[in-house]
Amino acid sequence: MVGYVCKYTPVEIIEAFGETPVQLEPDSKSYERAESLLHSNICSFAKGVLENVIDKNIDEIVLTSCCDSIKRLYDVLKQRVKFIHVLDLPRKKDPEAKDLFCSEIKGFIKAYTAYKKRDFSEENLLNILEKKAAKGKKVFSESIAVMGARLKEDVVEKIKSFGAEIINLTCTGEERKFDVEPEGDLLRNYAESLLNLTPCMRMAKDRNILEGKRFKGIIYNTIKFCDFYAYEYAELKEKLDIPLLKIETDYTDAGSGQILTRVDAFLESIGMKKVEKEKVRSGYFAGIDSGSTSANVVIIDENKNIISYSIVPTGPKALESARQAFELALKDAGLKEDDIKIVVATGYGRVSIPFAEKTVTEITCHGKGAFFIDSAVRTVIDIGGQDSKVIRLDDEGNVVDFVMNDKCSAGTGRFLEVMARTLGVSIEEMGKVTEKAREDITITSMCTVFAESEVISLIAQNKDQRDIIHALNKAVASKAVSLIERVGRKGSYMMTGGVAKNRGVVSAIEKRLGEKILIPPEPQIIGALGAALIALEGK
Amino acid sequence: MDPVKFYASLIKKNMERPEHVKKLINFGLSFAHHYVSLFKDKRVPQSFHFLNKYCIKCVIDPLKHPQNSAWVNLFSPSEFLMAMDIKPLFIEAYSSFMSGFFIEDCLIDAAESKGISNTLCSYHKTFLGAGELGILEKPRLMIATSIACDANIPTFRYLSKKLGVPLCIIDVPYRYSKEAVSYVKKQLFEAASSLEEAFKRKLDIDKLREVVKTENKTRALMKEYLNYAGGKSLQTTMTFEMYMLFASHVFIGSKEILKFFEMLLADIRKAPEKSGKSVFFVHLLPMFEKNFKDYFNFGEKYRIAGSDINYDFLDEIDEKDPFSGIAEKLILTSFNGGIDRRVSRIRELVEKIKPDGIIQFCHLGCKQSMGGVFFIKKLASEMGIPFLCLDGDCVDKRNNQEGQNRTRLEAFLEML
C-alpha cells in the first residue's frame, strides 16, 4: 500500500503501477510520539498521520506541498520511511502551473520507478482514468452538506445515523472523477484534470462551491491548528441564509461526544430530527438534566405549572445522581414514579438514563426553558460546569443558532471552581465581588492551568484578593462575550446554568454588553424545565 | 497612568467610531516619529537611530496616503512598488505597531468573533481585526506571496473580498526548477500589469533595474556586516533586531536602507570587541516580552547575535533580467522549501557569528517555523551550542506565560 493524504495526489499513477493507494485517516488516541518529533501546536491531522505511520509501519508515502504542517511532516518522515516523495503542488492552474505540476508528476514516476524497479505504463493509466470518467453533474437534494476540512469517516457515519442525508463537500469528500483528454500528452492532461478538482482553501482560486446548490443546513468542520477553513466559515456565516453549524475536530476520539451533541442539537433545530407528538397529554411530566456538576430535575403538570424541582451534585456515577434527584423531586411533589407520564433526559449524561423515554440536547432544552420563563428572550447564555453555550432564539422560541466553547474549561464553572480553591475562598464569596477594590487587574491566560499560575503569582505580589477575583470574573465574562459576538448580539438576554448565580460574572457581562441580563430564580433548572416542557408538548 | 496604556484605552473606547481610531493611530505614529527624532537615546548606535525613524515613517506613509499604497506581506516583491513610487504597508509591521500600542487584543477579538481561527498567527489576526473594524483605509491593490506561511493567501483573499480591493497572488513553488522560475516570472509580469492598472502609471524597467542594483549593493554590505557581527558588541534591542526586517525584506532596494547598512557597518567597525554572551535567534524575536527586554535590550551580559530571518537570501539578483532574478530570490529564500535549506543557512550563520546560545521562540500559529524546531535543536546539539525553545506569541501578549518563560530563560542563560 502507498499512503497519501491530499486529494491532489496522483493516486491514479500509483494505481497504474499496480499498487494500492490508501488515504491515511489517523485514528490515534494520543500524539505522544508525534509531539516529540513535530511541535505540539502543529495541525492535529499531521500529528495523527505521523503517529499512524510509526504505529502501522507504513513505508511508502506520497505527499504534496499542500500546507506548512504537511511540509514539516515530510521533513520528519524523510528519515523514517523507505519511500517518500513530495510533489510541489501549484496553487494556480494557468499553463505554467500545469507544466510545473506535470513535471512534478514525471519526477514522482521516475522516483517510484527507481524504487520499485518496475516500469510505468501510460496505457494502464489511461485504462484507470477511463473507468473514472466523469458522468454529468450531481443534483443536490434537500439534504445536509458537510463542508470545510477533512472529517473523519466515523463522524460522518454518526451524523448519518441521526437520520440526515449527507453530501460530503469537505476537502477530501469529492469523488475522483476525471475528464482526461486521451489525445496528446496524457500526463499533462492528467495534471490539468487534477488541478481542475474543486479548489481547496489552500489554492489561489476563489471557491464558490455552494453556487447553484441548496441545502437544508451546513455542518462546517475545521481541524484544530489548521486555520484555512475558518476564513470560509467566517465568510459564509455572514452571507448564508441557511442554518450553519461549525464544529472543530482534532483526529483523536476525545471530544466526539461534545461534537455529536452539537450535531444532534443542530438537526433538532432545523427540523431534521423530529420528536413524535403524542395525542393525549395529561398528568405529570419530568425533565432530567444530567450535567457535569449537578443533576437537576423538574416536574410539571399538564398546565405547565412547576410542581417540584431538585438539584443534586453529580457524583462519580451520573446515573445514581440522576436517580437521586428524580426521587427527591417526586417526594417533594408527593408523586410516585408511575404518576409521571413521560420523562425526557438532557445534559451530558442523558444517554445513560434508562428511565427516560426520550433524550434531547441541552441546547434545545435551555432554549425551550428560557423562552418559557420569558418570551422576550432571544439570547440564552448558559455557563455550566464544563461548557458554556450561547443560544439564539427566534420570535417563536426556536433555536436558530448556537455556539459552544471548545474542549477546554476556559470560561466555565470549573474554571471558577479551580480559582476559588487557589484563592482559598468559596465560590459564593467570589460571586459577591462586582467591582474592583484598588486596581483593575487583567488575567491574560484563559487556560485554566496557566491562569491558576497567574493567580498564584498575583497572590505572591500581595494583590488585593478582591481585585484578583474581579479579574477572574472579568475573564469568564470576556469568554462569554466572545461567544455572544459569534452569534451576534440580540436582546433580551437570559443567563442559565450554575454560573448565573455568580453576581460578579453577571455584572461583568452586563458591563460589556451594556444591557441587563435576566436571571431566572433558579438558573440551574432551566435545562430540566425545557426537557419537562418537551415531555409535555412532544417537541 | 502609563501614557501608552492611557492612549490604548482611548483607542479602545472609540473602537466603534473607526474614523476616530484612524486619526488616533495616525497621531500615535506621528508622535512616535517626532519623539524618536527629538529625543535620541544616547545608547543607540547612529544606524539604529536612523532605522528607527525610517521604519516608523514607512508605516505612517501608506496609512496617510492610502491612494498611493499597496498592502503586502513580508516576502512580497516590493521592488516593483519602489520602482513605481508606491508605498507598501506590510501587514506584519502594522500588527507589531498595534501590539506596541497595546490594542492588539481588541483587534484579535474582533477577528475571532467573526469566526477566524483562534490558532491563526496573531500577526494575521490583528490585521484581519483592523480590517473587520474598519480602521484601515483601503489601498489600491494587495500583493501576497504564498511564502513564508499558509496564512498569507487566505488572509489577503478574505480582506480583498471584504473590502473590494483587487488582489495579486504570487504562488512560490516549493522547489527550484526551470518550470518553477517560469511560473513565478509570469506571475511577476501579471503583478506588474496589475500595479500599472491600479495606479495608472507605467513601470519603468530601468528604474526596476536600479532598485535591484541598490538591493545587491545593500546585500553586499549586509554580508560584510556579518563578518564583524561575531567579534564585536553593538548595542541593540529586540525591537531594532525586528526593525531589521524592514531592511532585509520590504524596503531593501531603497536608498535609505542602503544608507542604513553603510551606517551599520561604520558602527560595528568602531564597536568594542565582543564581551558577555551572545544569543542567536531563530525566526522571530518576542520584542514585547518583558523577560527578553530585561535581558537583551542594551544588555551588557547578554546580547542579540542576529536572527536567520534577516539573512534568508544572500545571493545577487540578476540586474539585467530583474523578473527572473526576483523570481529566483523568492524560490530560493531559506524560508521556502524543506527544512534542510533553513538548517543549512542557520549553520552558515552560526559558523560565522559564533554565538554562545540559540533560542527559537515558537510564535503561536506559525507552523512552518515551529514544525522545524527539532531539526534546529539537533543542529545546535551537533554544533555543541546550547539551545532553548520557548512557546509564546510575538503580538498577542495574552499568550505569553511570563512567569514560566522567565524561569526557562534564566536557566538557559545560566547554562551559557
Side-chain angles (χ1 to χ4, degrees):
Chain A
M1 79 169 254
V2 183
Y4 73 98
V5 297
C6 168
K7 71 174 175 188
Y8 293 100
T9 310
V11 165
E12 291 68 27
I13 301 275
I14 300 171
E15 287 171 342
F17 269 104
E19 294 293 324
T20 314
V22 175
Q23 190 162 27
L24 299 177
E25 178 142 299
D27 53 3
S28 318
K29 301 274 182 226
S30 81
Y31 300 131
E32 204 181 317
R33 280 161 303 181
E35 288 184 354
S36 67
L37 296 165
L38 278 168
H39 193 282
S40 53
N41 290 346
I42 287 282
C43 151
S44 57
F45 173 75
K47 286 188 292 187
V49 170
L50 177 54
E51 203 71 43
N52 265 32
V53 169
I54 300 172
D55 265 351
K56 298 183 178 166
N57 290 321
I58 300 170
D59 50 20
E60 294 182 22
I61 294 165
V62 182
L63 301 173
T64 66
S65 59
C66 57
C67 72
D68 291 338
S69 294
I70 296 295
K71 285 179 203 164
R72 295 292 92 96
L73 173 71
Y74 168 71
D75 292 324
V76 171
L77 286 177
K78 207 160 69 166
Q79 302 154 349
R80 297 181 167 261
V81 292
K82 286 184 189 157
F83 177 84
I84 184 157
H85 192 88
V86 63
L87 287 106
D88 199 345
L89 173 65
R91 290 173 173 80
K92 297 189 174 179
K93 47 183 194 176
D94 55 24
E96 286 73 13
K98 288 168 194 164
D99 287 343
L100 172 66
F101 198 43
C102 177
S103 106
E104 284 295 312
I105 290 176
K106 286 179 181 164
F108 164 60
I109 293 173
K110 200 174 160 198
Y112 202 56
T113 305
Y115 170 74
K116 280 281 173 190
K117 297 186 180 54
R118 198 187 302 161
D119 282 337
F120 169 76
S121 133
E122 281 202 7
E123 206 184 320
N124 284 357
L125 176 65
L126 193 60
N127 286 337
I128 291 161
L129 292 173
E130 273 168 1
K131 280 182 205 148
K132 295 189 184 182
K135 286 175 200 149
K137 288 198 168 174
K138 265 196 165 176
V139 182
F140 293 89
S141 57
E142 283 265 298
S143 46
I144 299 282
V146 196
M147 274 182 78
R150 58 180 74 225
L151 188 58
K152 279 176 89 170
E153 198 46 45
D154 61 341
V155 181
V156 178
E157 287 307 314
K158 275 178 192 160
I159 299 174
K160 280 185 190 162
S161 74
F162 290 134
E165 194 195 329
I166 299 289
I167 305 292
N168 192 341
L169 299 177
T170 59
C171 79
T172 51
E174 192 176 4
E175 242 186 303
R176 294 187 79 88
K177 291 286 176 201
F178 299 97
D179 212 354
V180 178
E181 185 59 54
E183 303 300 316
D185 183 345
L186 180 66
L187 288 178
R188 196 178 184 284
N189 294 345
Y190 174 58
E192 181 176 350
S193 67
L194 280 175
L195 291 178
N196 277 336
L197 289 171
T198 310
C200 69
M201 277 298 284
R202 174 258 186 213
M203 303 306 253
K205 199 179 179 313
D206 196 12
R207 38 186 251 145
N208 290 312
I209 64 173
L210 289 177
E211 215 171 63
K213 299 176 187 111
R214 191 76 198 160
F215 297 103
K216 227 169 163 194
I218 294 172
I219 298 173
Y220 201 97
N221 178 47
T222 59
I223 296 179
K224 190 84 186 161
F225 294 114
C226 166
D227 306 317
F228 280 124
Y229 285 92
Y231 292 93
E232 187 175 58
Y233 164 73
E235 268 177 42
L236 291 178
K237 191 163 174 60
E238 193 130 320
K239 66 178 190 199
L240 269 191
D241 59 349
I242 49 174
L244 178 67
L245 168 76
K246 185 187 173 213
I247 54 173
E248 185 181 85
T249 51
D250 82 345
Y251 272 87
T252 58
D253 283 343
S256 61
Q258 205 188 34
I259 284 158
L260 293 176
T261 299
R262 292 180 202 199
V263 171
D264 206 0
F266 178 69
L267 297 177
E268 279 168 12
S269 73
I270 61 172
M272 292 288 282
K273 193 183 166 199
K274 284 193 177 145
V275 183
E276 280 170 37
K277 201 166 180 172
E278 286 186 15
K279 282 176 191 163
V280 185
R281 297 281 171 180
S282 59
Y284 298 99
F285 302 86
I288 301 182
D289 179 1
S290 171
S292 66
T293 312
S294 62
N296 317 309
V297 172
V298 170
I299 296 175
I300 58 170
D301 66 14
E302 61 204 56
N303 298 316
K304 300 184 182 173
N305 298 309
I306 298 177
I307 306 298
S308 72
Y309 70 87
S310 64
I311 301 169
V312 169
T314 307
K317 287 181 182 165
L319 173 59
E320 275 175 25
S321 314
R323 164 61 67 187
Q324 206 184 333
F326 187 39
E327 279 165 9
L328 209 63
L330 284 170
K331 194 176 158 200
D332 268 10
L335 297 169
K336 288 193 215 83
E337 199 172 331
D338 290 347
D339 298 330
I340 307 293
K341 289 265 163 158
I342 295 169
V343 178
V344 168
T346 186
Y348 272 98
R350 66 185 183 279
V351 286
S352 333
I353 297 172
F355 48 94
E357 276 84 354
K358 288 169 194 157
T359 62
V360 181
T361 65
E362 55 270 36
I363 292 155
T364 304
C365 290
H366 275 274
K368 187 95 191 160
F371 193 78
F372 174 75
I373 301 268
D374 190 329
S375 58
V377 172
R378 294 294 172 273
T379 307
V380 184
I381 308 154
D382 170 45
I383 310 186
Q386 72 175 19
D387 61 24
S388 38
K389 319 169 188 75
V390 172
I391 305 160
R392 161 60 34 79
L393 304 176
D394 66 10
D395 295 347
E396 266 82 52
N398 302 309
V399 176
V400 285
D401 196 4
F402 64 91
V403 286
M404 273 172 89
N405 66 319
D406 297 317
K407 274 196 279 181
C408 77
S409 63
T412 66
R414 191 77 76 225
F415 176 86
L416 288 171
E417 274 174 29
V418 172
M419 299 309 149
R421 206 172 52 223
T422 310
L423 286 165
V425 296
S426 71
I427 196 93
E428 288 73 25
E429 274 174 81
M430 275 185 82
K432 288 178 192 156
V433 180
T434 55
E435 292 294 335
K436 66 177 181 188
R438 285 191 213 149
E439 61 175 315
D440 200 8
I441 303 174
T442 301
I443 302 282
T444 52
S445 311
M446 265 324 291
C447 162
T448 307
V449 179
F450 286 134
E452 189 179 9
S453 40
E454 209 174 323
V455 167
I456 292 168
S457 59
L458 288 169
I459 296 170
Q461 290 166 37
N462 267 331
K463 297 282 180 190
D464 192 307
Q465 196 182 56
R466 286 164 301 172
D467 286 335
I468 304 177
I469 295 173
H470 184 238
L472 288 164
N473 289 342
K474 277 197 309 173
V476 175
S478 149
K479 199 80 186 165
V481 172
S482 123
L483 286 179
I484 296 170
E485 298 289 2
R486 277 171 59 190
V487 293
R489 294 184 181 198
K490 195 172 184 188
S492 298
Y493 297 92
M494 178 181 280
M495 198 160 151
T496 62
V499 178
K501 289 180 175 172
N502 182 316
R503 196 51 229 159
V505 173
V506 175
S507 130
I509 302 177
E510 284 176 339
K511 272 186 202 147
R512 295 279 305 268
L513 290 176
E515 210 171 313
K516 276 274 167 208
I517 298 174
L518 300 163
I519 308 292
E522 189 45 86
Q524 268 174 288
I525 63 161
I526 302 302
L529 172 63
L533 289 166
I534 290 167
L536 166 67
E537 295 172 0
K539 64 175 181 179
Chain B
M1 194 184 191
D2 176 344
V4 181
K5 291 199 173 154
F6 173 72
Y7 169 67
S9 71
L10 199 61
I11 298 181
K12 286 180 182 175
K13 274 185 199 147
N14 279 285
M15 227 22 125
E16 278 167 20
R17 293 190 290 174
E19 291 308 317
H20 278 61
V21 174
K22 282 180 205 169
K23 281 184 192 152
L24 280 167
I25 288 174
N26 287 345
F27 166 78
L29 289 165
S30 300
F31 180 82
H33 189 253
H34 285 304
Y35 186 87
V36 295
S37 306
L38 290 171
F39 304 101
K40 181 183 177 296
D41 186 331
K42 289 200 176 91
R43 297 168 297 177
V44 178
Q46 290 291 342
S47 52
F48 284 131
H49 179 62
F50 174 81
L51 183 67
N52 196 357
K53 286 189 293 180
Y54 179 65
C55 291
I56 301 175
K57 196 170 172 303
C58 286
V59 177
I60 295 175
D61 282 349
L63 290 178
K64 282 202 174 162
H65 308 287
Q67 70 287 356
N68 190 37
S69 80
W71 289 353
V72 300
N73 61 301
L74 184 67
F75 283 83
S76 294
S78 49
E79 290 88 349
F80 296 96
L81 305 185
M82 270 181 271
M84 293 173 81
D85 198 26
I86 298 161
K87 305 290 176 198
L89 176 68
F90 83 99
I91 67 165
E92 296 88 343
Y94 178 87
S95 298
S96 285
F97 272 88
M98 295 309 108
S99 183
F101 287 168
F102 286 85
I103 60 165
E104 84 283 3
D105 51 348
C106 206
L107 307 188
I108 288 168
D109 290 350
E112 288 183 5
S113 68
K114 285 285 171 185
I116 295 295
S117 167
N118 58 4
T119 57
L120 178 70
C121 159
S122 51
Y123 284 102
H124 287 260
K125 276 192 292 189
T126 304
F127 199 78
L128 284 161
E132 287 290 351
L133 291 164
I135 60 168
L136 282 163
E137 289 283 353
K138 283 198 249 181
R140 284 273 182 89
L141 186 79
M142 304 179 188
I143 301 181
T145 61
S146 58
I147 53 168
C149 77
D150 282 343
N152 291 326
I153 291 178
T155 292
F156 278 88
R157 189 170 48 204
Y158 183 86
L159 289 170
S160 151
K161 280 160 84 177
K162 184 163 189 83
L163 305 175
V165 175
L167 164 67
C168 204
I169 291 176
I170 297 168
D171 178 27
V172 182
Y174 175 78
R175 25 171 111 83
Y176 183 85
S177 65
K178 69 175 190 334
E179 288 87 359
V181 176
S182 312
Y183 176 51
V184 178
K185 193 175 168 183
K186 190 198 170 198
Q187 297 180 72
L188 294 177
F189 278 122
E190 287 167 354
S193 14
S194 302
L195 283 164
E196 288 179 337
E197 198 181 313
F199 291 89
K200 309 269 178 280
R201 64 187 86 146
K202 279 277 168 209
L203 167 71
D204 178 344
I205 188 77
D206 289 329
K207 273 196 176 170
L208 181 65
R209 286 193 182 110
E210 196 53 42
V211 170
V212 169
K213 202 169 171 180
T214 310
E215 181 169 348
N216 285 338
K217 266 194 213 165
T218 308
R219 225 170 244 120
L221 295 177
M222 193 190 268
K223 286 203 270 190
E224 208 178 331
Y225 164 78
L226 281 174
N227 292 333
Y228 292 94
K232 300 277 192 169
S233 278
L234 194 65
Q235 288 283 343
T236 184
T237 66
M238 307 291 286
T239 307
F240 293 147
E241 198 58 38
M242 287 294 273
Y243 273 157
M244 290 278 276
L245 288 171
F246 285 72
S248 58
H249 290 82
V250 181
F251 296 93
I252 191 167
S254 69
K255 298 282 177 228
E256 289 84 352
I257 292 301
L258 179 66
K259 186 179 170 194
F260 160 68
F261 271 101
E262 285 165 353
M263 292 170 79
L264 183 68
L265 208 52
D267 280 335
I268 199 148
R269 278 182 180 138
K270 62 180 186 227
E273 292 304 305
K274 183 189 168 184
S275 62
K277 302 289 181 188
S278 66
V279 173
F280 184 83
F281 284 83
V282 172
H283 197 196
L284 299 169
L285 289 86
M287 61 183 193
F288 300 114
E289 225 275 1
K290 190 176 176 301
N291 301 312
F292 282 82
K293 287 203 293 194
D294 288 352
Y295 279 100
F296 291 104
N297 284 1
F298 302 117
E300 293 197 350
K301 262 178 102 177
Y302 305 105
R303 55 182 199 89
I304 303 159
S307 161
D308 71 318
I309 192 164
N310 284 317
Y311 310 102
D312 62 307
F313 181 79
L314 291 172
D315 296 330
E316 274 208 357
I317 298 176
D318 186 350
E319 289 168 18
K320 286 193 203 106
D321 182 1
F323 283 91
S324 293
I326 295 169
E328 292 193 336
K329 175 179 99 162
L330 291 173
I331 304 169
L332 289 171
T333 160
S334 61
F335 273 67
N336 186 30
I339 197 72
D340 38 1
R341 228 198 251 185
R342 186 97 186 272
V343 169
S344 310
R345 175 51 45 92
I346 294 172
R347 184 190 287 277
E348 273 171 51
L349 291 168
V350 167
E351 278 169 356
K352 209 175 237 315
I353 300 174
K354 300 190 173 48
D356 298 290
I358 301 175
I359 293 180
Q360 179 165 0
F361 187 81
C362 291
H363 171 66
L364 190 70
C366 185
K367 283 97 182 165
Q368 61 85 12
S369 194
M370 70 171 82
V373 67
F374 294 103
F375 292 90
I376 314 290
K377 189 177 180 174
K378 187 165 165 262
L379 171 76
S381 137
E382 281 165 15
M383 298 183 88
I385 301 172
F387 175 84
L388 174 71
C389 161
L390 278 181
D391 290 338
D393 201 307
C394 293
V395 177
D396 190 349
K397 298 175 204 83
R398 295 171 295 184
N399 289 330
N400 288 326
Q401 314 307 329
E402 220 173 273
Q404 280 100 333
N405 279 356
R406 189 165 200 95
T407 309
R408 290 175 206 180
L409 180 63
E410 284 179 355
F412 176 72
L413 295 176
E414 282 162 13
M415 267 162 66
L416 302 183

